[in-house]
Amino acid sequence: MAFTADEFELLTEKTSLFLIILDEQGNIHKANKRCEVLFSLPSDKIIGESIYTFLLDEDELKFKAVISGLSKSKSKLNTTLGFAKLVSDAILYIKFDLIYHKGKIYASGIDVTEENEEHNFLKTVFRLTKTGAWHYDPVHDQVYFSDECYHLHDLDIGTSITMEQALLYYPEASQERIKNYWDNLIKHGTSYDYIDQIITKKGKQKWIRVIAEAIKHNDKVIFINGSFSDITDQQNYIEQLKYNEETKKLALKGIRAGLFDHLIETNMVFYSLDFRKMLGLPLKEDFVPEETFRTMIHPDDVDDALQRHQDNLKKNGYHYFNYYRLKHLDGGYRHYEIYGYRKKNEKGETTRMIGNLIDVHQKKLNERTIAENQSRLLAMVNNGFAYTVLLNTAGEILMADENSVNIIKRDFNVDPTVTASRFIDVMPVNFRNTFAHEFNEALKGKTVKKEIERTTIKGSVQWLESKYTPIKDQENNVNSILVSFHDITEQKSAELAIKEAHIKEQELSSLKSNILSNFSHEIRTPLNGIITISNLLLLGEENPSDRKKLATYLDESKERLLATINNLSHYSEIETIQKNLNYLEVDMNYTVETSYREYRHFANSKNLEYILELDESCPSAIIDVDVFHTAINNIIHNAIKYTNKGKVIVNVKAKKTSIRISIKDSGIGIGKESLRKIFDPFIQESIGLSRKYEGTGIGLSLSKRYIEILGGKIKVISKLKKGTKFIITIPKNI
């Protein structure tokens, strides 16, 4: 019998179900009173709201997919969705049955929050503990894995698997044993819990713990529940502990050491069996009185050893160290070092000490032999080369002569005979450039020599010949490097004096030739012009136009001769100019522009593109304007002079503490050889009778000197036939 309208309305409002009608866009058209709990809104306020407003972010796409599925299949679907309550931080999980009808979606849901939270909790626990659940259906021989089980086997989630297939993941040696576990479980319901290895789908080796328990009906196994746990990390740790324990036992035998456990209150000491055998102590007694052990210490060592023992027990911290000689079965005494760890009570008193005695007898004998050999070697070293240092293969100082030790102490406040020091960290800076290379060559077994120039603490120059000599062991392997330094200052000074005299002689000869060549040309050419033109004028040239040209040529020759003489004058008076500078704060844009305008006509006469680029910030600097003009004029003049086509660009750019002026041209450029000596006086790109351009060759040298007088710097960048760029840097303040 169908419900009446009143009955249906009453049932709808009083039910614990959540009843909602939505359109395909998720907008709510109707909702029963129960939904007020879900949306934290009155029933009449819910209408028109979008359900997506209340869904958890992760469930929005899920719900859209469900709606799409409903509208296409017109069928019934179910899903669980999470809702965030607006008035609290609580989350409600609702399981909905959804039906599509005439463009509407009818949803009825029940609250599954508690079950869902428990499910999520279990998922989290399984993930964190790397544990997965599995079930087995004997009737259909089908294994059901949780997601974590699939992950553990490196399988895609949902992969179908039988028990026979699951068995193949175990090593072949384990498969028979695992199958016996399984058969007993199926036949007799015998639960099992074992640890074994598997090889995953991706070939990874993992340790797992497997637990299985049968569910019976009428004394017959009808279902099996179980779990897989990934215990690879724990099992590897256990295996490592076993390995470490074995290693410890082997190590104690290898270093001739014995363990002890000293109970301070009873003065009884436990010694390991091997050590009791070595010392001749009673084998049947685990504990030996301290007094018995004390009689075995060398008489000369007893008092000092006892004092160190008492001091150790009282000092702060927990570590213990002592040393003395012990009597052995052969009647002789051997050196031992004792290392321990102390346990204390609440008062800070040592109550127990555990540690080991290490046989260092051979070490002591070796140390004594080494000390004696070192004394002999040092006597030889201190009376040999200027400096001698013995290094190990890591470059650490093993031994050094007195002079080297004193220098290192003085310069680095380190005593290399006491503190381990790498030679490269305590050597003079001059030595470091080539040390690594020479040292590595010596490590290869090669003897290497190198000459080094250094400045002593007194400021004098010293030349040393360094020699790296590899020292080899019996197997012909390099085990140390002897670095010796021989003073060759007198020899080197003599060689350098001869070489410098020869170079100076060549330079003077070349300079003399350049000066004679340049000045015979630069003075003779304008003088010849003046004489020739004067003669023509005196002979009475009648044509006014020709007379005017001759007068112009005469004036040019005069100016050229004056320029040559002025350059010579400026160059010879540099020291006087430097003492009488007239510093003023000037606008550098205007100052550079003045020089630029002075050569505009010269640039135009050669049809060059002549460009000036000024800085918008109008930078200023404190300079001597005349000196600066002379310097920059020479460079601008040269740029135009050596550029036959293209352009010349003069640029001003302000920096933080300086002003940068660049003069760039597209002229003939400067060759590599000439570029190195471009600022030398009386040098030109072309010289002698074959030169293409006129000039004395002192302009750039003069410019460089003037820029440096003003505290600035000048550099040049150029390639032959690619143009030249001069960069001048002037400080804003002196």
Side-chain angles (χ1 to χ4, degrees), residues 308-361:
R308 285 192 295 270
H309 175 72
Q310 296 298 332
D311 293 343
N312 265 276
L313 297 182
K314 295 175 184 177
K315 71 180 183 180
N316 293 330
Y318 296 89
H319 294 282
Y320 178 96
F321 173 73
N322 208 338
Y323 56 92
Y324 38 74
R325 286 169 289 176
L326 283 176
K327 191 172 184 179
H328 268 238
L329 285 172
D330 59 8
Y333 287 89
R334 298 183 68 84
H335 290 272
Y336 278 85
E337 289 181 352
I338 299 85
Y339 296 87
Y341 187 83
R342 297 179 289 137
K343 182 181 179 182
K344 298 181 179 181
N345 58 20
E346 295 178 355
K347 297 179 181 179
E349 299 168 337
T350 302
T351 59
R352 183 183 179 189
M353 181 168 61
I354 299 174
N356 63 327
L357 290 87
I358 300 176
D359 186 336
V360 294
H361 189 70

Side-chain angles (χ1 to χ4, degrees), residues 390-398 421-423 435-436 439-445 469-473 476-483:
L390 182 65
L391 309 177
N392 62 17
T393 53
E396 296 173 334
I397 298 173
L398 299 175
S421 307
R422 294 195 312 159
F423 187 41
F435 170 76
F439 182 73
N440 287 330
E441 288 298 303
L443 287 176
K444 297 174 185 176
T469 306
I471 299 173
K472 300 180 180 180
D473 58 21
N476 205 34
N477 296 319
V478 176
N479 59 19
S480 54
I481 306 294
L482 183 66
V483 186

Side-chain angles (χ1 to χ4, degrees), residues 435-553:
F435 170 76
H437 176 263
E438 315 306 335
F439 182 73
N440 287 330
E441 288 298 303
L443 287 176
K444 297 174 185 176
K446 301 175 184 177
T447 299
V448 187
K449 288 184 178 181
K450 189 78 176 180
E451 291 182 356
I452 300 171
E453 181 185 16
R454 67 183 289 264
T455 303
T456 68
I457 194 169
K458 296 179 180 179
S460 60
V461 174
Q462 183 184 36
W463 278 92
L464 298 170
E465 181 185 69
S466 63
K467 184 177 180 181
Y468 295 75
T469 306
I471 299 173
K472 300 180 180 180
D473 58 21
Q474 293 179 347
E475 285 77 32
N476 205 34
N477 296 319
V478 176
N479 59 19
S480 54
I481 306 294
L482 183 66
V483 186
S484 56
F485 299 90
H486 182 61
D487 192 333
I488 57 169
T489 305
E490 292 184 7
Q491 172 191 335
K492 201 67 181 176
S493 298
E495 290 176 2
L496 289 174
I498 294 170
K499 190 179 290 185
E500 286 175 4
H502 181 65
I503 292 171
K504 205 166 271 185
E505 183 182 353
Q506 289 180 323
E507 287 178 348
L508 286 172
S509 176
S510 176
L511 183 61
K512 181 175 70 175
S513 299
N514 286 338
I515 292 172
L516 290 173
S517 174
N518 284 350
F519 278 95
S520 64
H521 182 86
E522 287 301 318
I523 294 176
R524 187 177 64 247
T525 300
L527 276 177
N528 285 339
I530 292 170
I531 293 168
T532 302
I533 295 166
S534 298
N535 287 337
L536 288 172
L537 289 172
L538 288 172
L539 288 173
E541 176 62 53
E542 297 297 336
N543 190 324
S545 175
D546 289 341
R547 286 180 65 84
K548 187 175 181 181
K549 286 181 181 178
L550 288 173
T552 302
Y553 294 151

Side-chain angles (χ1 to χ4, degrees), residues 151-165:
H151 292 322
L152 192 147
H153 287 77
D154 288 333
L155 291 169
D156 293 331
I157 294 175
T159 302
S160 178
I161 185 169
T162 65
M163 187 52 66
E164 185 178 350
Q165 291 170 332

